[in-house]
Amino acid sequence: MAMKVLRSDAARSRERILEVACAHDRGDLRLNEIAREAGVGVGTVYRHFPTVHALVEALSMTTIERMVELSRRSLADPDAGSAFSSYLRTALELQLEDGGLQVVLLSDADESPDVRAAKQEILHSFDALLRRAQQAGAVRDDLTAERLSHLICGIEHAVRLGSADDREPLLQILLNGLRPEVARS
Amino acid sequence: MAMKVLRSDAARSRERILEVACAHDRGDLRLNEIAREAGVGVGTVYRHFPTVHALVEALSMTTIERMVELSRRSLADPDAGSAFSSYLRTALELQLEDGGLQVVLLSDADESPDVRAAKQEILHSFDALLRRAQQAGAVRDDLTAERLSHLICGIEHAVRLGSADDREPLLQILLNGLRPEVARS
Amino acid sequence: MAMKVLRSDAARSRERILEVACAHDRGDLRLNEIAREAGVGVGTVYRHFPTVHALVEALSMTTIERMVELSRRSLADPDAGSAFSSYLRTALELQLEDGGLQVVLLSDADESPDVRAAKQEILHSFDALLRRAQQAGAVRDDLTAERLSHLICGIEHAVRLGSADDREPLLQILLNGLRPEVARS
Amino acid sequence: MAMKVLRSDAARSRERILEVACAHDRGDLRLNEIAREAGVGVGTVYRHFPTVHALVEALSMTTIERMVELSRRSLADPDAGSAFSSYLRTALELQLEDGGLQVVLLSDADESPDVRAAKQEILHSFDALLRRAQQAGAVRDDLTAERLSHLICGIEHAVRLGSADDREPLLQILLNGLRPEVARS
DNA sequence: CATGAATGAGGATTCATTCAT
DNA sequence: GATGAATGAATCCTCATTCAT
């Protein structure tokens, strides 16, 4: 990944800003406030992050990278079914950990090329994982990667409405629901 | 339901405001703007709806009443399983129709006593519906009414992220996931 | 005193309003609030008290009448010195009891003719009291009734800044200061 | 006194605001109006003076400094009695000149540390002045610095109710009243 | 590059007063 | 007469964004 080298003071500012910002609600970032808390001028924040979305992306960058890693690992797993379900589980965990991830993943207005590239890799891998699982008969066929992503976001939403303890139970319901319907006596 | 009778002019203002307001994003209601569009003074809006939440509640009142009706009808249905699933389907439809319903249902700060009462009836009925379905073996046991409500909200969220066409497929996945797990050969 | 006879319901409204209003800070009367608390319409408040000042006057009417009484009694007291000082003491007490009295007394825009008449009587009596005391050598000569009224208001102000316990001590200082200066060895 | 150096433009805005504000009634400062008159944005006013009280304090800063000077000078005066009375006279003059001073002095919610410090020095000095005068037998003993401050505020109030000409006469009455009572033949 | 002062549109809210019912 | 709905000017305050220093 291309990485512009920053002057050390600029790098420090950037870090300070991210450090401070991640303690804030992603949906309600006040640039002035962050600047003040970070001990830098507002202008500096704008220099590093021209839009709020750019800052949100940057805050999610680490998680996105972890998601890329996850994709690769899952694709390398020979068991299509378990690769798929453990991918979903971990993706859900990551989205719950990082409150800004959902909007970054869903946005189609990426500011950073790195983010765009990573998201594409994630999407492609996810698509492949899903297809493999479908071909293995572990997942119902009437399902696209996009719908499924939305469903994960829906589960994330549901967990946030309740407590973190709901995560695994709700995930189980989802996984159960994704299996091809079986004939019942 | 106790209903204070409004003077005709007051009733007209109230209707104008609701009419105008329902064309706005429920999560972003600007009282001044609504007043202007409705052709009434700001004060009039505040008189009828002291807080934004009061307005949001009023906007959802009709849908909430329909949900109460739905609850009663479903409870009257002797088939526990189909009553349950058709309740979920219609509830989801209502939530999707009425973009403000979710927050009203989830809020624990009801402004209107009517809303509070209706929500309680809905919740109790839903609880009963769920239990009946569980006893009939149609729904897994490890599930509370609250978690399930959150799940519906999650599905609503997922559908909104995509298109209205996703509603039935995603609902099917949910319903499928709610069934007790069966041993598979 | 001419007294318009009010219809009994009007009289009741008037009383309710006064009753409620006297529990409010005189300098910050909100007509709408008072109407609500009194269980009458705003219009009714306006009918009885066309201006805020009219209400303030009405609230002080009882105290003003007591002050008129006080003036008469003091004038009847043959001891000019003690009549004067006990007048000041009681006047101060009345002003402290009735937080709206000072503005009513100082205002030159009386709404009610009764108030105007009462204030004139008070002023004349006070003037007479002062002169008598001066002639008796109990009070310094370089002092007008107006200045002295202002001084009472000043003492009232000072007591309000502290506690009610300051009343007598501060009054003593005033009385002491009003005596003709004596040669000191 | 620690004084943050302001950028020249900021200093200019601040001065403009103070200049404009001091022409307004201290008890009724409308921030928007001041901004408009000063030719700056509202935000600028709020930046310099987060609360109305901060602005009021700033408007009185010069007078407060003069009062500090006065305290020091008075303490340096070897004649306890005349130091005391001339202090009172000048303090009264300052309060009359600066219509916002009284509230700043009486407030216990200082915004600026400079103001807080200055007020404390003033209070301590005043306390010392009073004690000295009491020990010298020039002032009655039953009097605290606080009550006396309130009394000055009372006299200020009284003068404002009348004309500036009342100042010296009323001060004389106060000073006369503060002297220990003497036995009279 | 960094700074942070300035901007000012925008949204919330209140309350004195009027007037139709 | 009483009512209280309606009005809307007025005020408060915030915050995204720009730009001079």
Side-chain angles (χ1 to χ4, degrees), chain A:
Chain A
M1 291 194 198
M3 206 61 170
K4 182 144 57 123
V5 176
L6 291 176
R7 272 173 33 182
S8 64
D9 55 342
R12 230 177 307 122
S13 294
R14 195 171 191 283
E15 282 320 304
R16 287 287 302 126
I17 293 166
L18 287 172
E19 199 176 322
V20 160
C22 75
H24 288 247
D25 173 13
R26 289 296 202 289
D28 186 35
L29 294 176
R30 268 85 59 90
L31 281 299
N32 285 285
E33 193 176 344
I34 288 170
R36 186 167 36 73
E37 289 181 19
V40 304
V42 223
T44 306
V45 177
Y46 274 88
R47 162 164 302 274
H48 287 289
F49 308 103
T51 70
V52 173
H53 192 69
L55 175 54
V56 174
E57 276 184 3
L59 287 167
S60 293
M61 201 56 209
T62 309
T63 322
I64 287 177
E65 280 163 5
R66 288 171 66 196
M67 211 159 202
V68 169
E69 286 309 311
L70 169 65
S71 304
R72 291 176 188 167
R73 249 182 296 121
S74 301
L75 272 181
D77 183 338
D79 182 333
S82 78
F84 179 76
S85 61
S86 80
Y87 176 88
L88 287 194
R89 172 172 290 106
T90 314
L92 178 60
E93 285 172 14
L94 290 174
Q95 288 190 201
L96 282 164
E97 274 177 33
D98 180 344
L101 187 55
Q102 185 174 144
V103 287
V104 173
L105 291 177
L106 292 170
S107 167
D108 49 358
D110 304 310
E111 304 258 348
S112 144
D114 287 358
V115 166
R116 164 158 292 284
K119 278 171 58 179
Q120 273 168 356
E121 178 172 356
I122 290 169
L123 186 60
H124 285 137
S125 305
F126 183 47
D127 197 62
L129 277 170
L130 173 59
R131 280 181 212 280
R132 271 202 336 182
Q134 285 171 327
Q135 277 156 15
V139 171
R140 43 200 299 166
D141 283 326
D142 61 339
L143 200 62
T144 64
E146 194 183 18
R147 269 187 188 163
L148 188 44
S149 310
H150 294 167
L151 217 27
I152 305 279
C153 291
I155 302 293
E156 180 195 345
H157 183 75
V159 175
R160 289 193 191 283
L161 291 178
S163 82
D165 294 343
D166 295 342
R167 195 187 68 210
E168 191 58 26
L170 296 191
L171 179 67
Q172 283 307 331
I173 290 170
L174 173 64
L175 292 173
N176 196 29
L178 292 178
R179 297 206 301 226
E181 301 203 36
V182 289
R184 303 202 174 203
S185 52

Side-chain angles (χ1 to χ4, degrees), chain D residues 169-182:
Chain D
L170 296 191
L171 179 68
Q172 284 306 331
I173 290 170
L174 173 64
L175 291 174
N176 196 26
L178 292 178
R179 298 205 301 228
E181 302 203 36
V182 289

Side-chain angles (χ1 to χ4, degrees), chain A residues 176 179-185, chain B residues 137 140 176 179-185:
Chain A
N176 196 29
R179 297 206 301 226
E181 301 203 36
V182 289
R184 303 202 174 203
S185 52
Chain B
R140 41 200 301 167
N176 196 28
R179 297 208 301 229
E181 302 204 36
V182 290
R184 304 203 175 205
S185 53

